[in-house]
Each structure stands twice: as C-alpha cells, then as structure tokens.
C-alpha cells in the first residue's frame, strides 16, 4: 500500500506536468493565433495591392495603409480635366490662385484684360465650380475678378501642388486607356503612396505622388510645381527604387533645364506627358505577346 508521502509526491508531479502542458498549450495557441492573423491579413489584402506591396518589400519598405487606389479622385477629376482642356486659359488663373494662397493672400484681384474671346466665360465657369465646393467666392470689379479664398485644409492641399498631381493622374489615365486598346495588360493607379522602413521610428519615411502599375511594371511619378527643387533628394529616391521593373519619372508644368540636366533621367513636361508616356509603355511592352 502506497504511503501518504508517495501519494503527495505523485500529486505534485502531476501538478507540475499539468502546468508544463498548460504552458505548452499557451505557446501553441499563440503561434496558431499569429498564423491565423497573418493568413487573415493576406486574405484581406485586395488583389490590386499585392504586387505593389511585394515590390516595396523587395526594396526594403513597407506601405502605410490604406493605399489610395483608382484612376481618379471623384471631386477633383472634373476640375483637373477642365484645367487641362482649357490649359492656356485656366493655367495662368490657377497659377495666380496658388501663388496668392501660398503668400497667404486670401483676397486678390485677377486681371481679365487682354483675354481671348470666350476666355472670361471659361474662367467664371471654373470659379463657379470652385465656389460650389466652398473653395472660394468671386465677384466682378473694375480690375477683373475679385477672388476670396476659403481657409480650409482641403483648399490648402489642393493649391499646394495637389492639382498638379491630379493632372498627372488624369493624363496617365488617358494614356493607359489608349495603350490597353492595343496591348492587353492590367493596370492600377495609386496616389500619395506613403512608405517606411520596417525598423523606422518615423510614421512616414517617404511618399510617391503617383504610381501607375501595368501588369508587373511600375511607373513612379514625382510632380514638381515650384521653383526650388532638391534634385539630390529626387536622385536618392530614384536610387531606392532602382529596378528593371520600375521607371522613376519627374514631371513639371514647364521645362526646367538646369534641374533636368542635373537629374539626367526621365522628365516629362505636362504638355508632352501623354505622348511620352505612351511611347514609354509601347517600348517597355514591345516584346509582349498580345493575350
């Protein structure tokens, strides 16, 4: 017959075994939860994002979600389309608006002298569109049109270069739609793509203005609207994403000879964008067999 001492020893041994099993169970459950979480993230990742996430990972970065996808921002698309279709008339106007906004002059007069026939109506129609969006108010005066800008975050964002990025997004959309009529490829658009290194303590390490994905190729567009451009930073960014599958392209409203010579790479002027981007797409996909 077992002694009380032996029974107590066996009970303690069983308790120890139970504790060890509980610990092992907790470890296994934790591993299972991590696996489930990873699998769920993969399942929840839209298919349109997978290739771009993989490309950034290959370059040593992770994307900051949510990604802004699509070929347009519904609110801005009609604005930039209007600007582009009446570029000679509306570009000087939008440039004046942006400069005054930058100089924190919320009220100013836009001269309508020496305008071509019909130009005044086009400008007023555009002003009415912006007024409906509460971006500005306007009225006629002896000098031309008196503009009053609203002080809003969206207003600041649009006039601080946002409209330039939207023009490139619009032109890229037009070019790609024409391209896919002759070459069958899947395309996707991303804008304001933020990224960081996995070990970075920063919320954001960098941003790409516009990215066009055509099949497994990527076209990165950096839009520069101002005069003071840090070409060294542009070169550093281009180097980060150096790949046979990636094109890094600078864009600006007009020629910037000094900066273009320093960059020594692809640089598209707005008026030539569609033509040059189409040529680039046809060149990159010249060996692709039509599906």
């Amino acid at each position: 017959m077992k002694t009380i001492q032996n029974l107590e020893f066996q009970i303690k041994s069983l308790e120890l075994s139970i504790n060890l099993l509980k610990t092992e169970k907790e470890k296994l459950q934790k591993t299972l939860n991590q696996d489930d979480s990873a699998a769920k993230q993969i399942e929840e990742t839209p298919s349109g994002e997978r290739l771009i996430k993989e490309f950034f990972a290959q370059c040593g970065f992770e994307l900051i979600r949510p990604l802004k996808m699509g070929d347009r921002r519904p609110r801005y698309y009609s604005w930039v389309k209007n600007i582009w279709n009446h570029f000679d008339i509306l570009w000087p106007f939008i440039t004046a608006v942006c400069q005054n906004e930058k100089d924190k002059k919320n009220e100013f007069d836009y001269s309508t002298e020496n305008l071509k026939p019909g130009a005044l109506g086009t400008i007023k129609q555009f002003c009415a569109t912006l007024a409906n969006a509460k971006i500005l108010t306007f009225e006629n005066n002896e000098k031309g049109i008196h503009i009053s800008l609203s002080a809003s975050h969206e207003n600041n964002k649009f006039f601080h270069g946002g409209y330039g990025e939207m023009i490139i997004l619009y032109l890229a959309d037009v070019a790609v739609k024409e391209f896919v009529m002759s070459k069958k490829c899947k395309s996707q658009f991303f804008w304001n793509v933020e990224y960081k290194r996995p070990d970075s303590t920063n919320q954001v390490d960098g941003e790409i203005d516009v990215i066009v994905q055509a099949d497994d190729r990527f076209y990165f567009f950096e839009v520069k609207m101002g005069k003071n451009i840090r070409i060294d930073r542009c070169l550093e960014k281009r180097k980060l994403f150096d790949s046979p599958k990636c094109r890094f392209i600078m864009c600006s409203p007009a020629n910037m000879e000094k900066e273009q010579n320093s960059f020594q790479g692809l640089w598209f002027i707005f008026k030539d964008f569609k033509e040059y981007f189409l040529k680039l797409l046809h060149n990159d996909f010249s060996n692709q067999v039509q599906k």
Side-chain angles (χ1 to χ4, degrees):
M1 187 173 180
K2 294 181 179 179
T3 63
I4 294 177
Q5 192 174 19
N6 287 336
L7 290 172
E8 289 177 346
F9 176 78
Q10 288 182 6
I11 290 172
K12 287 182 179 179
S13 297
L14 288 171
E15 289 176 345
L16 179 61
S17 298
I18 290 171
N19 290 333
L20 289 173
L21 287 171
K22 284 182 177 179
T23 302
E24 188 64 24
K25 179 184 176 182
E26 290 173 358
K27 289 181 180 178
L28 291 172
Q29 188 64 53
K30 186 177 181 181
T31 301
L32 179 62
N33 291 341
Q34 289 175 342
D35 290 343
D36 287 344
S37 177
K40 188 177 180 182
Q41 287 179 3
I42 292 172
E43 290 173 0
E44 290 178 349
T45 299
S47 59
E49 293 184 17
R50 284 179 180 155
L51 285 177
I52 192 171
K53 290 171 74 72
E54 289 173 2
F55 178 76
F56 270 80
Q58 290 169 6
C59 296
F61 298 101
E62 59 184 27
L63 293 177
I64 300 173
R65 298 189 69 183
L67 282 174
K68 298 170 183 176
M69 302 170 63
D71 57 3
R72 64 191 68 181
R73 293 180 181 180
R75 187 175 190 182
Y76 293 154
Y77 191 82
S78 61
W79 299 0
V80 298
K81 184 177 180 180
N82 195 14
I83 293 172
W84 186 252
N85 290 338
H86 302 92
F87 193 79
D88 292 341
I89 298 171
L90 292 180
W91 189 256
F93 172 74
I94 200 75
T95 300
V97 172
C98 293
Q99 188 59 52
N100 281 277
E101 203 281 335
K102 184 178 180 181
D103 295 339
K104 297 183 178 180
K105 296 179 181 177
N106 291 334
E107 296 197 18
F108 67 95
D109 295 314
Y110 184 75
S111 175
T112 55
E113 291 182 358
N114 303 320
L115 288 179
K116 296 178 180 179
L120 180 58
T122 299
I123 294 173
K124 285 186 176 181
Q125 186 178 15
F126 186 61
C127 285
T129 299
L130 297 182
N132 287 336
K134 303 186 184 304
I135 295 294
L136 56 76
T137 59
F138 70 101
E139 60 183 7
N140 297 328
N141 64 12
E142 66 279 2
K143 295 181 180 179
I145 304 176
H146 183 74
I147 304 294
S148 299
L149 299 174
S150 64
S152 68
H153 175 71
E154 185 173 8
N155 183 6
N156 294 339
K157 192 172 183 179
F158 182 72
F159 290 124
H160 283 182
Y163 69 101
E165 296 171 14
M166 288 298 99
I167 285 177
I168 292 304
L169 189 61
Y170 166 69
L171 293 175
D173 175 29
V174 172
V176 169
K177 283 178 178 175
E178 183 174 324
F179 174 72
V180 297
M181 291 176 68
S182 59
K183 295 280 189 178
K184 300 296 183 182
C185 75
K186 294 181 180 179
S187 62
Q188 184 59 274
F189 297 79
F190 307 88
W191 65 81
N192 298 145
V193 179
E194 297 178 334
Y195 59 88
K196 61 178 290 187
R197 294 194 181 278
D199 58 349
S200 175
T201 57
N202 300 321
Q203 288 187 340
V204 179
D205 284 337
E207 179 181 312
I208 304 295
D209 293 331
V210 176
I211 296 178
V212 175
Q213 177 188 329
D215 281 349
D216 61 345
R217 295 180 180 273
F218 296 93
Y219 299 86
F220 286 26
F221 297 100
E222 280 287 286
V223 185
K224 298 301 178 184
M225 305 295 292
K227 296 179 180 179
N228 300 318
I229 300 177
R230 289 288 303 273
I231 292 297
D232 56 332
R233 292 183 180 177
C234 298
L235 291 170
E236 288 173 6
K237 189 178 289 189
R238 180 176 67 179
K239 188 176 180 180
L240 291 175
F241 301 103
D242 183 33
S243 166
K245 292 290 187 178
C246 180
R247 299 278 200 173
F248 192 94
I249 305 158
M250 299 290 292
C251 304
S252 61
N255 278 309
M256 308 180 75
E257 187 173 348
K258 180 181 177 182
E259 288 80 2
Q260 288 171 252
N261 290 336
S262 298
F263 186 67
Q264 294 185 347
L266 292 170
W267 194 305
F268 294 171
I269 308 305
F270 282 14
K271 66 181 181 65
D272 300 325
F273 182 94
K274 179 187 171 184
E275 176 188 355
Y276 287 177
F277 188 31
L278 273 172
K279 286 182 178 178
L280 186 61
L281 287 168
H282 281 290
N283 179 69
D284 288 347
F285 285 83
S286 59
N287 297 323
Q288 176 177 299
V289 178
Q290 188 164 342
K291 299 175 183 178

